[in-house]
Each structure stands twice: as C-alpha cells, then as structure tokens.
C-alpha cells in the first residue's frame, strides 16, 4: 500500500513542505531516499524501538520511503514522527490513510515519547500557506505554532496518543493562543531601570537619542565607569515591539530552538556575544546554516563589550549587515538570507591601559600604542556608528546622592513619541521606519538646514577636524534630536548637540 504523509524542511527562516511517500511491498529491506542526512537515515532504529514499546511493529517487508522534493536535503531527527505514522498506515496497522490536511513533525524517543524540534513557527506558517488545516507537533513547540491563526495545532506527547487520535478513540485537544497574549507586547524591565543609574545624565541623553532614532552607539570610557550597566538598560527605553516585529523575531529564535514553551517573543532581544566569538557565530552559516548573533538580535540590541578585543576580521563581516539590515550567507551548495536589523551598542576603553590620556597620569600608553589600539576598529565600521560618547567615572557626590533618577518608563514615552513622528514621516517609503535607516536621498529631503545651522556644521567640521563620513551621521542624529522636541525643522542647537557625539572623529586622545 502507498501512503502519503506531510512534513516540512526549514531552510534559513522559511519552511518547505515535504511529501513523505511510504510504500510497503513484498520483499525485505528499508530504503529511504530523497537526500536524507545521517540523522534522518538513523530514524529506522528509533522508529522500530518506539513502535515496539507501544505494541506495534516495523513490518518485515520491503519498505520504500521517498521524501519529495528529492533534490532538497532533509536534515535532523524531526521526521521520525511522520515516518512512523506513514509506516503504520501503509502496513495497515493504522486505519487512517488520508493525511491530506495534516502536517506532522516530531522526534521520537525509544519509548514512543515525542521530543521538541526546531523551526515550529516557520513550519506552521508554511503549513497554513499550503492549505493544511491540522498540525501535530511536540507539546514544547505548540505555543509558538499557535501564533498562526486558522490552523488547528495539536500537542503530541507520545506517538500512542497520535495513533489514538487518528483512530478516533481519544481525540487530542487543540491549543489556542489567547488574543491578549498576542497583542500585549509590553515588557517588564523592573530589574534594569535607568532610575538605578547615578549621574551620567549626558550618557542617558545619548542613549535616549540612540533609542529614538535607532542609531548605533559607541561608549568610550575607563573601567568601572558604567558602560556595560548603561548598555544593558537600553532595551528598557526602546518602544514595545509591534506584532509583526514579534512574529519575525520569534521566527528566527524558533529556527535555533530558542522559542520552545515561550510562544510569541514580546521582549526585544539583547545579545552580548563574548569577544572570542567567531565570524560564523556572529553572522550565521555553518555546515547546517543557522542564524548568528546579529540575526538573533533582530529588532533588538547587539552589545559588543570591549570592541577592540574582537578579531578585526570578525568585526569586518558586520559591515554589510549593518548597512543592508540583512545578511546573506553564500556557500557552494546553498545561499541563505537572515534578517539582521538591530541596534549596535559597543563599548571600549580609550587606551590599552584603560584610561584617558589626560586622566591625571593614569594613562601609561604612548600615542603610538593608542593609535595601534584604536586602529583595531576600521574606519568603515566606525562610519556605521552614529554616536561616539565618552563615559567618565561617576564622582563620589553622585554615588552618595540618594535622590531617584528618571525612570526608564518616562524616557520610553518620549522615545515612543519620537518614533511615532518618524513612522508617519517614512510611511510612504518601504522598509524605512526610523531615522537611522535614512539613505542619502531622504537625508537631503528631511534634514534640510537653514543658513545658521549650515554655517555651524561647516565651522565644526573645519575646527574640530571632523571627517567627511561624519556629515550624514550628524544630520541623522540632529533629525532625531529635533523629533524628540517635536520640532519640524532642524535647528542650530540640534546640530550643536549632534556634533558632540562624534568623539572619535576629533582625534581627542592621540593628539594630547
């Protein structure tokens, strides 16, 4: 008998429906074709033990299984469950033979229990698009799949439960996602609040501007000045994720198996890879392509602590994703793209010794050593960082001050208001939502300067030795500062403040 069961293969962050054709005929043998990898080939042993332990058996006949499309590589152990159901149906041990509207995925343990898989959300989305009405998944994956409306999602704890459901003995219950869970995207940042930060008002202001315009920011300061503490609190002032952003973020985390038992991811990601990270771990790829840290930080924050300690070639691979907000991994056998629209927050010491040159003799680094240290970060990478801000140690008076600083909730309200202005401004431009995403053409339209502002910018670039690459960045940041004040036009004071946030362009330390 020939039976068709349906599964799915995840490639990148999208899925492709796989037709599993099981044919049982006279003879002996187990033949699995359709470019399966070793994990799929080994499924016969897991299936045989699982069926035996629940009172069924692997038929001693010639079993031929084709996984179509045959030219698409099938990877992982998630096909155990559909393969087992196909074998039972084709051998007559399961009465149901029509699985036209069913998508089945899951890994089998030897006792018949079903283990979680990766990529449940993209699989569910593709199942809905291909006209399937029912999807059967491990219970750990049903919360993320339940996000997809119009699809009956069933949690399978053991293959025996699925067999009983198909034989209409004990029906499985569908899993539903509550509407309030889908649209309540506010996050709790009570443990990481700007109210806990003593002093550093200028840094908080810079982070507020960065959050309002989606700008990348570099914090430069000696050890213990609070760079990491400030960076970790940045997500607390970012706008809540929209439903679309939550779905896209959940999809990426689902592919790497980080969305199990979570459902919709509502909190903006904060990723902080160690400086020993490799290029592949940062941007993605590998023998079995997986999203990297920059994709896991999509719609959130990527924090690179001690930026010069990262290998230069690792940092250089971020240049194109920072510009295009997407990373494309090209290999001989595949090409896959992952979204990577994130805010880059980096921190570094001002010198190898950790201190500024003029810090009362604390710095013991020569100008040559400092140049070598700063040159670990290339100009093209710095070109993609809009704000460079110096973080000085907090004086004792501020640390001992018992007054409460401004809360993150209050700052976030201003950020949301500024983002609303930007959303309205760019409503006609696809893929552009905030100021940091503006290309040169839109900068000339929305960042028009009056004569006073233009003269101020020209004077600053000449007197402070600002580089040409700083020009567009200053205009974008000035536009965000104006949005925070609900100003229609960029004013001289906005330009003046934006100029302050280009520390590295001024050669501050190497000239001292």
């Amino acid at each position: 008998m020939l039976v068709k069961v349906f599964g799915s293969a995840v490639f990148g962050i999208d899925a492709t429906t796989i037709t599993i054709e099981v044919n049982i005929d006279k003879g002996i043998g187990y033949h699995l074709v359709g470019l399966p990898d070793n994990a799929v080939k080994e499924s016969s042993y897991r299936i045989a033990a699982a069926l035996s332990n629940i009172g069924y058996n692997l038929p001693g006949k010639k079993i031929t299984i084709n996984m179509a499309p045959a030219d698409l590589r099938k990877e992982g152990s998630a096909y155990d469950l559909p393969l087992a159901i196909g074998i039972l149906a084709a051998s007559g041990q399961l009465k149901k033979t029509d699985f036209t509207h069913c998508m089945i995925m899951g890994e089998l343990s030897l006792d018949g229990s079903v283990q979680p898989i990766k990529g449940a959300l993209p699989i569910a989305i593709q199942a809905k698009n291909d006209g399937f009405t029912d999807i059967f998944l491990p219970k750990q994956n049903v919360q993320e799949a339940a996000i997809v409306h119009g699809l009956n999602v069933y949690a399978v704890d053991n293959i025996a439960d699925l067999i009983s459901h198909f034989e209409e003995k004990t029906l499985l219950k569908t899993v539903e996602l509550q509407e309030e869970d889908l649209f309540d995207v506010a996050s709790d940042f009570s443990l990481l609040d700007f109210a806990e930060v003593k002093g550093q008002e200028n840094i908080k202001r810079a982070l507020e501007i960065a959050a309002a315009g989606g700008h990348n920011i570099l914090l430069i300061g000696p050890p213990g000045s609070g760079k990491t503490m400030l960076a970790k609190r940045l997500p607390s002032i970012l706008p809540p994720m929209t439903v679309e952003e939550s779905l896209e973020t959940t999809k990426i985390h689902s592919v790497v198996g980080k969305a199990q038992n979570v459902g919709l991811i509502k909190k903006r990601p904060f990723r902080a890879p160690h400086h020993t990270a490799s290029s592949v771990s940062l941007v993605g790829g590998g023998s079995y392509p997986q999203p990297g840290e920059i994709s896991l930080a999509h719609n959130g924050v990527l924090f690179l602590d001690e930026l010069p300690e990262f290998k230069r070639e690792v940092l250089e691979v971020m240049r194109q994703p920072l510009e295009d907000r997407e990373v494309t991994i090209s290999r001989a056998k595949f090409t896959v793209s992952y979204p990577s629209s994130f805010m880059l927050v980096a921190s570094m010491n001002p010198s190898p010794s950790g201190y500024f040159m003029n810090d009362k003799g604390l710095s013991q680094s020569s100008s040559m050593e400092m140049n070598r240290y700063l040159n670990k970060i290339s100009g093209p990478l710095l070109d993609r960082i809009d704000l460079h801000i110096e973080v000085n140690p907090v004086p004792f008076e501020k640390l001992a001050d018992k007054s409460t600083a401004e809360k993150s909730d209050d700052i976030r309200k201003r950020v949301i208001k500024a983002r609303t202005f930007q959303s309205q401004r760019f409503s006609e431009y696809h893929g552009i939502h905030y100021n940091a995403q503006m290309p040169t053409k839109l900068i000339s339209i929305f960042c028009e300067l009056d004569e006073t502002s233009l003269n101020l910018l020209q004077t600053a670039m000449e007197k402070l030795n600002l580089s040409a690459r700083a020009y567009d960045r200053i205009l974008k940041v000035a536009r965000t500062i104006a949005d925070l004040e609900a100003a229609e036009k960029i004013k001289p004071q906005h330009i003046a403040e934006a100029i302050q946030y280009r520390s590295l362009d001024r050669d501050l330390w190497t000239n001292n």
Side-chain angles (χ1 to χ4, degrees):
M1 183 184 295
L2 174 64
V3 171
K4 292 184 179 181
V5 184
F6 299 93
S8 192
V10 177
F11 192 72
I13 60 168
D14 297 311
T16 302
T17 297
I18 301 297
T19 303
I20 301 171
E21 302 172 322
V22 183
N23 186 71
I24 297 182
D25 209 343
K26 295 179 180 178
I28 297 176
Y30 186 92
H31 307 284
L32 182 59
V33 297
L35 283 183
D37 71 350
N38 286 334
V40 182
K41 291 177 182 177
E42 293 169 352
S43 63
S44 60
Y45 302 106
R46 292 190 294 271
I47 292 171
L51 293 182
S52 175
N53 285 322
I54 63 169
Y56 294 85
N57 61 76
L58 197 68
K61 296 184 178 181
K62 183 181 179 181
I63 304 173
T64 305
I65 303 174
N66 177 45
M67 305 179 76
D71 61 344
L72 181 66
R73 186 168 179 80
K74 321 302 183 304
E75 301 169 348
S77 54
Y79 299 101
D80 291 358
L81 191 57
L83 288 171
I85 293 297
I87 291 171
L88 289 175
S91 63
Q93 298 179 74
L94 179 62
K95 296 178 182 178
K96 182 179 176 68
T97 58
D98 182 13
F99 301 93
T100 307
H101 301 293
C102 301
M103 175 73 72
I104 307 170
M105 291 294 284
E107 176 187 338
L108 281 176
S109 291
L110 300 187
D111 62 354
S113 60
V114 181
Q115 300 302 313
I117 63 171
K118 296 179 180 179
L121 180 56
I123 288 172
I125 292 172
Q126 189 60 39
K128 171 70 183 306
N129 294 339
D130 289 343
F132 291 92
T133 58
D134 301 333
I135 184 168
F136 299 88
L137 295 169
K139 64 179 181 179
Q140 295 93 331
N141 297 114
V142 292
Q143 288 298 321
E144 50 185 302
I147 297 169
V148 182
H149 289 289
L151 195 64
N152 298 320
V153 181
Y154 296 91
V156 182
D157 190 37
N158 192 291
I159 186 175
D161 300 332
L162 184 56
I163 295 170
S164 180
H165 175 84
F166 284 143
E167 291 184 341
E168 299 183 353
K169 293 179 180 177
T170 306
L171 297 178
L172 296 172
K173 295 182 180 179
T174 58
V175 177
E176 295 182 1
L177 188 72
Q178 300 297 323
E179 289 294 318
E180 55 268 24
D181 292 338
L182 185 61
F183 292 98
D184 179 19
V185 293
S187 301
D188 179 22
F189 292 100
S190 57
L191 297 178
L192 293 171
D193 197 293
F194 271 107
E196 303 161 358
V197 180
K198 302 288 187 179
Q200 305 289 24
E201 299 304 325
N202 60 324
I203 316 301
K204 295 178 188 176
R205 169 67 174 173
L207 289 172
E208 179 181 341
I209 294 168
H215 301 289
N216 301 322
I217 184 170
L218 174 61
L219 305 176
I220 311 159
S225 56
K227 302 185 297 295
T228 302
M229 179 183 68
L230 287 158
K232 287 183 176 180
R233 281 158 176 76
L234 179 60
S236 69
I237 63 172
L238 290 174
M241 285 204 289
T242 63
V243 175
E244 291 75 17
E245 287 177 327
S246 296
L247 283 169
E248 197 170 27
T249 303
T250 306
K251 196 174 179 182
I252 297 169
H253 285 246
S254 174
V255 168
V256 294
K258 294 183 180 293
Q260 295 171 12
N261 294 319
V262 173
L264 192 69
I265 292 177
K266 307 168 189 176
K267 189 175 181 180
R268 289 190 182 274
F270 182 89
R271 306 291 301 182
H274 193 257
H275 63 258
T276 56
S278 66
S279 300
V280 172
S281 69
L282 199 64
V283 301
S287 302
Y288 301 105
Q290 290 280 292
E293 290 290 341
I294 64 174
S295 294
L296 292 172
H298 182 61
N299 291 322
V301 175
L302 177 69
F303 177 49
L304 301 183
D305 199 7
E306 304 298 341
L307 189 65
E309 300 303 325
F310 283 80
K311 294 180 181 177
R312 187 181 174 105
E313 60 270 20
V314 173
L315 295 177
E316 291 304 293
V317 298
M318 289 202 308
R319 283 162 53 177
Q320 179 262 338
L322 278 169
E323 195 73 23
D324 298 341
R325 301 188 180 274
E326 182 181 62
V327 58
T328 301
I329 310 296
S330 296
R331 298 292 184 268
K333 295 182 180 180
F334 65 85
T335 298
V336 60
S337 295
Y338 300 111
S340 58
S341 180
F342 59 90
M343 274 186 65
L344 173 63
V345 180
S347 72
M348 60 179 284
N349 295 327
S351 67
S353 65
Y355 299 93
F356 290 106
M357 286 285 279
N358 55 0
D359 254 0
K360 299 179 181 178
L362 285 174
S363 178
Q364 299 175 353
S365 303
S366 66
S367 295
M368 184 179 297
E369 289 174 329
M370 293 186 67
N371 273 321
R372 189 184 303 119
Y373 178 74
L374 294 174
N375 284 337
K376 291 182 179 181
I377 310 168
S378 70
L381 180 62
L382 285 176
D383 183 33
R384 290 158 173 81
I385 301 179
D386 300 342
L387 293 92
H388 311 150
I389 186 73
E390 302 160 33
V391 185
N392 291 299
V394 181
F396 176 79
E397 294 76 15
K398 290 285 186 180
L399 289 173
D401 188 359
K402 295 184 179 180
S403 62
T404 304
E406 188 176 25
K407 295 182 178 179
S408 291
D409 284 343
D410 298 327
I411 302 175
R412 189 195 303 172
K413 290 175 183 176
R414 296 196 295 268
V415 170
I416 293 173
K417 189 176 180 180
R419 285 281 185 108
T420 303
F421 292 146
Q422 294 166 45
S423 297
Q424 295 170 354
R425 178 185 302 134
F426 303 126
S427 59
E428 298 178 3
Y429 302 94
H430 177 70
I432 300 176
H433 306 288
Y434 42 85
N435 291 334
Q437 297 175 324
M438 276 194 293
T440 305
K441 182 179 179 180
L442 294 187
I443 291 175
S444 62
I445 297 174
F446 298 114
C447 299
E448 193 173 352
L449 302 181
D450 58 28
E451 187 175 350
T452 306
S453 299
L454 197 60
N455 290 335
L456 176 62
L457 181 55
Q458 181 181 357
T459 302
M461 294 191 70
E462 293 172 354
K463 297 291 185 182
L464 299 176
N465 294 321
L466 293 175
S467 65
R469 67 175 179 258
Y471 180 77
D472 283 355
R473 304 292 164 181
I474 290 173
L475 289 179
K476 288 182 181 181
V477 173
R479 179 67 265 176
T480 300
I481 296 170
D483 289 339
L484 283 167
E485 295 182 5
E488 185 177 347
K489 298 288 186 180
I490 297 176
K491 299 177 182 178
Q493 62 264 32
H494 304 148
I495 290 289
E497 184 175 0
I499 290 168
Q500 297 177 23
Y501 302 129
R502 298 297 301 182
S503 295
L504 283 182
D505 288 318
R506 299 183 223 159
D507 295 332
L508 260 182
W509 313 300
T510 54
N511 289 338
N512 286 339

